[in-house]
Amino acid sequence: MATRLSDVAARAGVSVKTVSNVINDYPHITAQTRAKVEAAIAELEYTPNVSARSLRKGRSDFIALAVPEMASPYFAELGAAVSRAAKKRGITVLIDQTEGEAAAEKLVLDGMRGQLIDGIIFSPITTAPAKIGSADTAKPLLLLGERHPGGTFDHVAVDSVQAAFDATSHLISIGRRRIAAIGVGGGAGTGSVRRKGYRKALKAAGLAADPALEVGGSGYHREDGAAAMRELLALPEPPDAVFCFNDLLAIGALRALTDAGLSAPADVAVIGFDDIEDGRYHSPSLTTISPDKEWLAENAVALLLDRIAGVGEADRRDLTVPYTLQIRESTSG
């Protein structure tokens, strides 16, 4: 039989109301009483009724993080950072994997789980920006990623055009002139945005963009990077450098180089984007654009909680995530 509030009250020698006040963080409770109640809760392994508590408080202290896939190291690391940022504020994060499916993303926009959550941090990849911007969501919503929808939703993202410009400029600065791009066709906006920065850097250096050097389908996984690298190496004039639009693509590209008896950066310099842990420990270690994930998580959670509480600026906010260029062995030798 489940432990009830009255059982905790009896064990602690206090009233049911006092136990409820302790659970709901009522401030005017003596330290001695609080300690007795908390000891009884621990001893009886009492779990508060979240739904009832939510109704009393008007909020649940749960938020959701909805991302395309948790198998992606970037989203796994981001999820951990968001959870840490929320935990410091007494908030629990529920993680939802949409797998980029339209129906799952619509469920996110509709509010997901009724009364269970207070707000949502959402990284969409399928739903059109115009549809997101015009959505009438049931819960406060904050958007991540390249899909800038307009409308009223707050948005937190890296300036991918400038970051891609910096990545490509680094390859140019080490003397590379035939620079390829992997990932141009995917990422729900990522491909087109990062290609814009890539081409901008080539133009600034007086280098012509070559469509034959822009490859990659819709996938952003290791196997996609390896396949794209093999395609580039089969060209009559292979590249001497490659900018991969995420680190998984870059790790796949490095594998294909090794399989072909080549190496980075001696034969082909390789740079990625995201600074996932795998890239730091790869051999060679991966040069990459490193977004500040902790900054992103802290600011996304803080801004969403402001929206939930109804405080802060009334107008939507667009926050730009700081990043650094991490130069490692795949371009520096």
Side-chain angles (χ1 to χ4, degrees), residues 25 53 57 59-63 80-93 118 121 142 293-309 311 317 319:
D25 297 322
R53 186 179 177 188
K57 294 177 63 179
R59 53 184 286 183
S60 67
D61 290 338
F62 285 85
I63 63 173
V82 168
S83 294
R84 285 191 294 271
K87 185 177 181 180
K88 288 191 294 186
R89 297 165 171 85
I91 303 297
T92 299
V93 179
D118 298 320
I121 299 173
L142 180 140
K293 301 183 192 76
E294 295 295 333
W295 187 100
L296 189 165
E298 286 284 341
N299 283 273
V301 169
L303 185 51
L304 181 64
L305 293 182
D306 280 350
R307 293 301 186 201
I308 291 167
V311 300
R317 292 185 64 188
L319 301 184

Side-chain angles (χ1 to χ4, degrees), residues 7-198:
D7 299 324
V8 176
R11 181 61 60 90
V14 299
S15 68
V16 170
K17 178 62 174 175
T18 297
V19 175
S20 178
N21 286 341
V22 170
I23 290 171
N24 289 288
D25 297 322
Y26 187 71
H28 303 300
I29 300 288
T30 67
Q32 182 181 9
T33 299
R34 186 179 296 277
K36 285 197 302 182
V37 172
E38 289 177 346
I41 289 172
E43 185 178 346
L44 297 174
E45 298 182 347
Y46 173 72
T47 302
N49 185 316
V50 173
S51 297
R53 186 179 177 188
S54 172
L55 288 172
R56 287 193 299 270
K57 294 177 63 179
R59 53 184 286 183
S60 67
D61 290 338
F62 285 85
I63 63 173
L65 172 65
V67 297
E69 56 175 331
M70 288 308 297
S72 163
Y74 172 78
F75 286 117
E77 291 176 16
L78 178 62
V82 168
S83 294
R84 285 191 294 271
K87 185 177 181 180
K88 288 191 294 186
R89 297 165 171 85
I91 303 297
T92 299
V93 179
L94 305 178
I95 296 180
D96 183 69
Q97 178 174 269
T98 66
E99 297 182 346
E101 295 178 353
E105 293 194 349
K106 182 180 185 302
L107 182 63
V108 173
L109 290 172
D110 289 343
M112 292 179 67
R113 295 180 176 86
Q115 299 299 320
L116 185 58
I117 58 171
D118 298 320
I120 305 167
I121 299 173
F122 180 30
S123 180
I125 66 168
T126 299
T127 309
K131 192 169 184 179
I132 296 171
S134 62
D136 183 16
T137 60
K139 300 287 181 180
L141 183 75
L142 180 140
L143 295 166
L144 305 178
E146 314 293 349
R147 302 177 79 77
H148 198 295
T152 61
F153 300 124
D154 297 317
H155 181 236
V156 180
V158 175
D159 182 348
S160 275
V161 174
Q162 185 60 47
F165 178 92
D166 291 345
T168 308
S169 296
H170 168 64
L171 295 172
I172 294 168
S173 75
I174 61 172
R176 306 306 166 111
R177 292 297 179 267
R178 190 162 170 77
I179 301 169
I182 292 179
V184 297
T190 298
S192 61
V193 171
R194 293 182 185 172
R195 178 167 60 178
K196 186 181 295 184
Y198 157 78

Side-chain angles (χ1 to χ4, degrees), residues 198-215:
Y198 157 78
R199 287 183 170 181
K200 183 179 177 182
L202 293 179
K203 184 177 181 180
L207 300 174
D210 182 351
L213 294 178
E214 298 178 359
V215 298

